[in-house]
Amino acid sequence: WRDNLNYLFDFKLLEVADKPEPGHRYVDACEGCAAKRHCYGVNEAYLAQFGDREFRGITTDTWSSMERCRVP
């Protein structure tokens, strides 16, 4: 999924999220994630089925590199 972060910029999918969407929630990995203010959390049904072990926050360096690479 990290290889596809540029789509967030290309398709202007970076609206600001001030809280999780209904039926979604933030997991521990979301704390400190550079993209959290643009994220509506993880689907609770997904978390019930698979858990949250796979989630990792996006580092500031990764997020900054994507901002620099975006297509005008």
Side-chain angles (χ1 to χ4, degrees):
W1 63 266
R2 290 180 191 266
D3 295 334
N4 297 312
L5 288 175
N6 59 315
Y7 293 125
L8 294 173
F9 297 98
D10 295 346
F11 295 110
K12 297 178 176 55
L13 299 174
L14 293 174
E15 57 192 54
V16 175
D18 58 354
K19 60 185 176 188
E21 289 244 318
H24 292 71
R25 69 178 174 88
Y26 296 123
V27 298
D28 289 345
C30 298
E31 294 307 314
C33 178
K36 185 175 179 181
R37 62 176 277 201
H38 303 288
C39 180
Y40 290 99
V42 183
N43 183 285
E44 289 179 352
Y46 181 93
L47 293 171
Q49 181 73 29
F50 302 106
D52 68 353
R53 291 182 55 194
E54 70 181 281
F55 292 94
R56 303 287 179 270
I58 298 172
T59 66
T60 302
D61 289 342
T62 298
W63 191 248
S64 295
S65 71
M66 294 312 306
E67 286 181 313
R68 286 191 302 272
C69 294
R70 66 182 161 168
V71 177

